[in-house]
Amino acid sequence: MELGDRTIARDYERYGAHPEERDGRAGWRFRVWAPQARSVSVVGEFNGWDPSATPMERKDQDWEAFVPGLAQYDTYKYAVVGQGGQEVWKSDPYAFHAETRPGTASKLYDLSGYQWRDGRWKPRELYDRPLNIYEVHLGSWRRREDGAFYDYRSLAEELSTYVSGMGYTHVELLPVTEHPLDDSWGYQCTGYFAPTSRFGTPHDFMYFVDCMHRRGIGVILDWVPAHFCKDEQGLYEFDGSCCYEYADPNKREHAGWGTRVFDYGKREVREFLLSSAAFWLREYHIDGLRVDAVASMLYLDYDRPDGAWTPNHYGGKENLEAIDFLRDLNRTAFAVNPRVLMVAEESTAWPLVTYPPEEGGLGFNLKWNMGWMNDMCHYLKLDPYFRQHHHRDLTFSMMYAFSENYILPVSHDEVVHMKGSLVGKMPGDYRTQLQCLRGFYAYMMAHPGKKLMFMGAELGQWHEWDAGSALDWYLLDHTENQQTQQFFRDMNHFYLHQSPLWEVDRDWAGFEWLVADDNQNNVAVFLRRDKAGREVVCAVNFSPNTYENYRFGVNDKARYREIFNTDDPAYGGSGVSNETAIAVEQVPSHGKPQSIAIRIPPFGAVFFRGEARRGSKRSSSLQGKERKGMV
């Protein structure tokens, strides 16, 4: 895997603990930023955790020490005395490895020596290629029979085989940066340079990424520069003062989350975060970062009542320092890896999130489409009779679908905190819910935008996600769940092989409504088109009715042939299908002079490919490939 600029954002080489030789003695050099500290010392097993044994020397705002005779995996902390005289013991902000909770000390670790084997891995082009992400929490994808975690290396082998076979292109990992509390899922971390030791060592995590790449799977990390936890050993009031966080009480804390906010106005804090981002891309060959809680960074009044936030110097609510930081973050990421995926979880209508900084944008290349997700979750929960009054939930997303480069996310956030599982959002009995799940997923795969689905949906998971246990793999003992998993596998591979579904995702040239306004029948019909003009028609029925001879206007072809159907009996469906090619008739419909009449299954989706009339320039051999879904 080739990377770009190897010189920028390398503070992790200056700070932290690194093996070094001085005056012929092998040891470790420690360096930490603590500008307001009265004194700092290194404490660890090697000196009996004695704060007076190994004092550090002040160098401007940093503190440094060299300690000979130490070994990899030795534990240590910094004993920091603030200006008020209070001593706190802190983990190393730049540590590469850490004790496993409940331990909170850092561990010495030399990152060098791992032999990467992903040299043939080349990140895919983003915009005109398929992108289908499987979101994973490593601690609960699978567990050992005794409830213990899988390690990175076991996960690498099993997860890469599974994801590749299921037809996903990437995995996105809930944060693996070191964190003290399992229940935080990693979103309140203490180690911005340390993959969590819950699953193994740094070299083990390198193996995980390496294995994914060798199986053709990209790796995206959730990364959290918006806030950090208040655990005593972490960044919280690191030198006895507000060091990494804002000093202004109106900017310092997210009370609802119980966390502190990074001070983006401090050069050292910005360099710490930029260095962390570059570190994962460079040292661990990570393909992308999904930046969590971007909205909380952009707005000074985010989740704060009137009078409890400080305006910027123009009197506005925009956090100008955070905006500058996000632009610098994306510049840094693209300098390290020009094909990086920089994804914003931004839940508001902030403009130009995926536009370059030079054009006034934030510089991301992808944004989660939270509006689409909220509309669809609302729609899917409705009794089918009442869906006719909420048809805009299906269609409104196309009003802004090309304003940004979007990912359609159905993430972990939608299946926790009493929200139920994805299949559990659907109406009816379990068989009906599985029908609805198949129809929705097909609609999602056909809608413009890249895709993300949280683990477990493909099993027809009954329960909402529980981070403390494995997915309900036992469901695969049942035929209906095996069929659901097979549907997801086939739908994903169908998506991968149908260029009209992903090649033109960013403008109207790749999409056309055929039926947008049939709210009474809960039906939407549209087509997707690739750069060569090849089209796939998608008809989705969100009602329990089977529609015979459902007519709609189409473009001028000889006939249309069904190429995928969510109601296939192989998936547990009832078998409502279009077994023979459907001739185009010169019957006007929906503003077109010709039309077809099809069968649409209940709660199902059907895909069609048009076949050209004789004498067209498209060869019969190409038509044959189209019928097989190969192009």
Side-chain angles (χ1 to χ4, degrees):
M1 178 178 177
E2 295 183 1
L3 297 177
D5 196 311
R6 298 179 179 273
T7 63
I8 63 171
R10 304 192 77 102
D11 272 18
Y12 58 87
E13 294 178 344
R14 179 185 179 195
Y15 292 102
H18 300 272
E20 195 171 285
E21 185 174 309
R22 293 187 182 181
D23 300 326
R25 297 184 303 169
W28 290 72
R29 182 254 302 162
F30 298 84
R31 192 180 186 104
V32 65
W33 177 63
Q36 300 301 317
R38 180 186 296 177
S39 66
V40 183
S41 60
V42 185
V43 294
E45 294 175 342
F46 63 90
N47 63 10
W49 300 97
D50 180 1
S52 65
T54 314
M56 302 182 77
E57 179 183 356
R58 178 185 281 277
K59 295 193 173 183
D60 194 14
Q61 296 188 354
D62 300 339
W63 299 80
E64 187 175 301
F66 174 77
V67 183
L70 302 184
Q72 182 142 293
Y73 298 115
D74 282 353
T75 55
Y76 70 99
K77 283 188 174 182
Y78 296 120
V80 182
V81 179
Q83 292 298 318
Q86 181 181 5
E87 182 179 88
V88 290
W89 286 19
K90 294 290 189 179
S91 302
D92 187 346
Y94 285 87
F96 297 146
H97 195 31
E99 282 189 307
T100 305
R101 85 278 182 266
T104 60
S106 302
K107 284 186 174 183
L108 297 177
Y109 199 91
D110 183 359
L111 288 183
S112 65
Y114 181 81
Q115 298 297 314
W116 287 91
R117 295 188 291 161
D118 66 348
R120 294 185 178 181
W121 168 252
K122 291 185 178 180
R124 300 172 177 87
E125 291 287 351
L126 169 63
Y127 300 113
D128 60 356
R129 298 295 300 164
L131 179 61
N132 189 13
I133 303 166
Y134 187 68
E135 188 187 32
V136 181
H137 177 253
L138 290 182
S140 60
W141 182 66
R142 286 193 187 274
R143 291 279 183 101
R144 303 291 185 191
E145 288 188 5
D146 61 359
F149 292 132
Y150 270 53
D151 58 81
Y152 286 124
R153 290 177 182 259
S154 298
L155 284 164
E157 300 295 341
E158 292 200 23
L159 185 59
S160 64
T161 300
Y162 181 78
V163 170
S164 178
M166 286 295 295
Y168 294 99
T169 64
H170 291 70
V171 293
E172 180 178 316
L173 307 182
L174 271 64
V176 296
T177 40
E178 192 59 81
H179 51 282
L181 180 65
D182 289 356
D183 289 347
S184 79
W185 313 328
Y187 289 98
Q188 296 188 17
C189 72
T190 52
Y192 277 78
F193 297 83
T196 177
S197 60
R198 287 167 175 80
F199 314 123
T201 69
H203 280 179
D204 292 336
F205 186 59
M206 290 179 181
Y207 180 89
F208 175 90
V209 179
D210 204 359
C211 186
M212 286 290 171
H213 284 173
R214 286 184 278 116
R215 293 283 174 85
I217 303 298
V219 181
I220 303 168
L221 295 189
D222 275 14
W223 185 69
V224 190
H227 58 134
F228 58 88
C229 61
K230 293 163 62 175
D231 291 57
E232 185 180 44
Q233 78 276 8
L235 301 177
Y236 173 72
E237 298 183 5
F238 189 83
D239 61 1
S241 69
C242 291
C243 186
Y244 284 88
E245 61 266 74
Y246 280 112
D248 182 348
N250 284 345
K251 299 168 70 174
R252 184 167 57 209
E253 192 154 334
H254 283 308
W257 297 336
T259 56
R260 286 289 172 92
V261 180
F262 283 105
D263 184 347
Y264 307 105
K266 288 182 181 175
R267 177 184 60 82
E268 295 86 355
V269 173
R270 292 160 66 103
E271 291 302 321
F272 170 79
L273 291 171
L274 295 176
S275 181
S276 171
F279 171 78
W280 295 105
L281 301 178
R282 184 184 288 128
E283 306 300 335
Y284 284 92
H285 295 199
I286 295 300
D287 301 285
L289 300 176
R290 178 267 197 182
V291 181
D292 183 64
V294 170
S296 74
M297 302 170 66
L298 294 172
Y299 298 98
L300 294 165
D301 65 343
Y302 185 90
D303 201 26
R304 295 183 175 94
D306 291 343
W309 59 278
T310 301
N312 62 39
H313 61 264
Y314 296 114
K317 62 182 180 181
E318 300 81 12
N319 189 332
L320 304 178
E321 298 162 349
I323 294 168
D324 287 343
F325 164 74
L326 289 170
R327 289 169 174 163
D328 285 347
L329 166 66
N330 288 309
R331 291 187 184 101
T332 298
F334 285 104
V336 173
N337 179 359
R339 290 191 176 181
V340 70
L341 303 179
M342 292 300 292
V343 185
E345 189 230 1
E346 201 286 305
S347 55
T348 73
W350 187 278
L352 306 180
V353 172
T354 58
Y355 285 69
E358 298 74 26
E359 298 178 17
L362 294 182
F364 292 93
N365 52 6
L366 289 165
K367 173 183 174 176
W368 274 20
N369 192 335
M370 308 292 280
W372 173 87
M373 179 273 298
N374 287 320
D375 285 347
M376 287 310 304
C377 285
H378 174 258
Y379 185 81
L380 294 172
K381 293 175 185 177
L382 293 171
D383 182 284
Y385 175 81
F386 295 107
R387 288 176 175 174
Q388 63 183 308
H389 305 300
H390 298 273
H391 197 68
R392 74 180 295 277
D393 287 347
L394 282 183
T395 60
F396 182 69
S397 58
M398 289 309 303
M399 298 293 291
Y400 61 87
F402 309 120
S403 62
E404 301 276 6
N405 300 323
Y406 283 116
I407 290 177
L408 308 182
V410 182
S411 75
H412 65 281
D413 279 331
E414 313 324 315
V415 293
V416 290
H417 302 322
M418 305 302 290
K419 295 176 185 175
S421 66
L422 180 58
V423 73
K425 300 182 193 304
M426 314 294 176
D429 59 18
Y430 189 55
R431 180 179 180 277
T432 301
Q433 289 176 319
L434 291 175
Q435 277 184 303
C436 294
L437 177 65
R438 296 193 301 269
F440 163 67
Y441 192 63
Y443 159 79
M444 173 181 172
M445 300 304 280
H447 190 288
K450 308 310 180 184
K451 326 297 177 187
L452 178 142
M453 180 62 70
F454 186 57
M455 63 182 195
E458 76 278 11
L459 307 179
Q461 176 113 354
W462 293 341
H463 306 108
E464 74 174 18
W465 172 51
D466 177 9
S469 60
L471 296 179
D472 293 342
W473 293 101
Y474 64 85
L475 291 174
L476 294 180
D477 292 337
H478 305 286
T479 299
E480 58 194 357
N481 299 95
Q482 296 171 13
Q483 292 171 329
T484 299
Q485 187 187 47
Q486 184 63 47
F487 161 74
F488 271 79
R489 182 183 296 114
D490 289 354
M491 185 76 248
N492 289 343
H493 284 283
F494 177 77
Y495 166 77
L496 292 179
H497 289 98
Q498 297 294 329
S499 56
L501 298 183
W502 40 258
E503 195 172 70
V504 186
D505 255 344
R506 295 192 288 166
D507 60 60
W508 283 100
F511 179 92
E512 182 182 345
W513 278 118
L514 299 179
V515 182
D517 58 355
D518 190 1
N519 64 301
Q520 291 187 339
N521 289 314
N522 300 348
V523 169
V525 187
F526 54 90
L527 66 79
R528 298 299 309 278
R529 185 182 295 113
D530 68 11
K531 293 178 180 178
R534 290 171 293 214
E535 298 173 353
V536 169
V537 172
C538 177
V540 191
N541 175 15
F542 287 95
S543 85
N545 305 315
T546 297
Y547 294 118
E548 304 283 353
N549 298 311
Y550 187 93
R551 184 171 295 278
F552 57 89
V554 293
N555 293 329
D556 190 20
K557 302 285 184 181
R559 63 190 63 84
Y560 280 80
R561 191 178 299 274
E562 182 181 295
I563 56 175
F564 195 90
N565 190 324
T566 66
D567 202 47
D568 192 313
Y571 309 139
S574 57
V576 175
S577 65
N578 302 268
E579 296 180 1
T580 60
I582 301 168
V584 173
E585 301 176 87
Q586 296 305 306
V587 177
S589 181
H590 298 86
K592 291 184 181 291
Q594 62 278 324
S595 60
I596 58 175
I598 67 169
R599 302 181 79 202
I600 313 182
F603 296 122
V606 192
F607 292 81
F608 296 88
R609 171 80 76 187
E611 296 180 359
R613 298 186 184 279
R614 281 188 184 179
S616 73
K617 295 181 180 179
R618 299 175 66 76
S619 70
S620 59
S621 61
L622 178 58
Q623 291 179 38
K625 291 180 180 179
E626 289 176 341
R627 285 194 290 273
K628 296 176 182 178
M630 295 172 61
V631 296

